[in-house]
Amino acid sequence: MKITEETVSHVARLARLAMPEAERSLLAPQLNDILEYAASLQQVDLEGVPPTSHPFEQTNVLREDEVRPSLSRDAVLANAPETEDGQVRVPAVLEGGTGA
């Protein structure tokens, strides 16, 4: 399929793009070059090449989850300006809130 200036103009009109004639003249051959390149990729012999989702093998770089000691609730709450029922009390952020 060859892309013509008329095709470019039609697609531009469908996309509601204002495109000067000079741009259409430049764009049509560029789009044809892209389509020819894509067609050449179809000729590549992929026999024996397994399908992949990434060109390079990817590994997880996160550390393993492991249980480690952490601060006690009392130690954490000791740093809070206000506490209530074993939780940090913060100001209300929604209108009509109680602040609890």
Side-chain angles (χ1 to χ4, degrees), residues 34-44:
I34 292 169
L35 289 177
E36 285 178 26
Y37 181 73
S40 73
L41 292 177
Q42 296 297 319
Q43 305 306 316
V44 175

Side-chain angles (χ1 to χ4, degrees), residues 18-53:
M19 185 173 291
E21 187 176 339
E23 280 189 45
R24 289 192 307 256
S25 299
L26 289 172
L27 192 57
Q30 291 174 354
L31 291 171
N32 282 313
D33 290 344
I34 292 169
L35 289 177
E36 285 178 26
Y37 181 73
S40 73
L41 292 177
Q42 296 297 319
Q43 305 306 316
V44 175
D45 180 18
L46 298 176
E47 187 67 33
V49 178
T52 60
S53 61

